[in-house]
Amino acid sequence: MLRRLAFIALGCASLTAGAREVDPESGFVIDEHWEVVKATCTACHSSRLVIGQRGSRDTWKGIIRWMQATQGLWQFQPEMEDQILTYLATNYPPGQAYRRKPLSLLLMPPD
């Protein structure tokens, strides 16, 4: 019975994951302008850093502005910035569970 439940759970997870095609190299969701995001973001850091975040268009814009002010990120042409923000806000919006919850203190290793 337990084996059957595990199989059903895996099947449901793969259906959900399969709904959006993902670039096998970067892990980015393949959608309009994903290649612009891949080329731009991975010029400085891993795609995992982007994929692990979630935010509204304003949140993503704030992250870009912070990187421009403190990390040496170049200024984008307005059209390119719009493409990047649209892609990120559409494919990595706020409210989706994307990380596990922190471990309970009871499960943490002793100091």
Side-chain angles (χ1 to χ4, degrees):
M1 176 69 168
L2 192 56
R3 192 177 215 178
R4 183 176 178 162
L5 288 174
F7 180 75
I8 291 170
L10 283 173
C12 290
S14 66
L15 285 175
T16 303
R20 298 180 351 160
E21 189 178 356
V22 173
D23 173 42
E25 183 180 275
S26 67
F28 282 121
V29 172
I30 296 176
D31 197 359
E32 188 174 20
H33 307 303
W34 75 274
E35 291 165 314
V36 172
V37 173
K38 178 181 175 181
T40 304
C41 296
T42 61
C44 298
H45 53 71
S46 166
S47 59
R48 288 183 178 196
L49 189 61
V50 178
I51 293 166
Q53 305 297 315
R54 294 291 186 272
S56 66
R57 185 179 181 88
D58 287 339
T59 301
W60 285 111
K61 188 174 189 175
I63 293 169
I64 289 171
R65 293 293 180 263
W66 174 82
M67 288 187 292
Q68 288 170 332
T70 65
Q71 306 299 305
L73 178 62
W74 60 93
Q75 297 291 315
F76 300 124
Q77 293 295 322
E79 181 181 351
M80 182 182 204
E81 183 171 279
D82 182 62
Q83 292 172 352
I84 292 168
L85 291 171
T86 298
Y87 172 85
L88 292 172
T90 300
N91 293 287
Y92 303 99
Q96 295 180 344
Y98 61 97
R99 297 181 71 175
R100 68 167 171 76
K101 292 182 180 179
L103 292 175
S104 153
L105 291 177
L106 297 171
L107 297 174
M108 295 295 289
D111 289 331

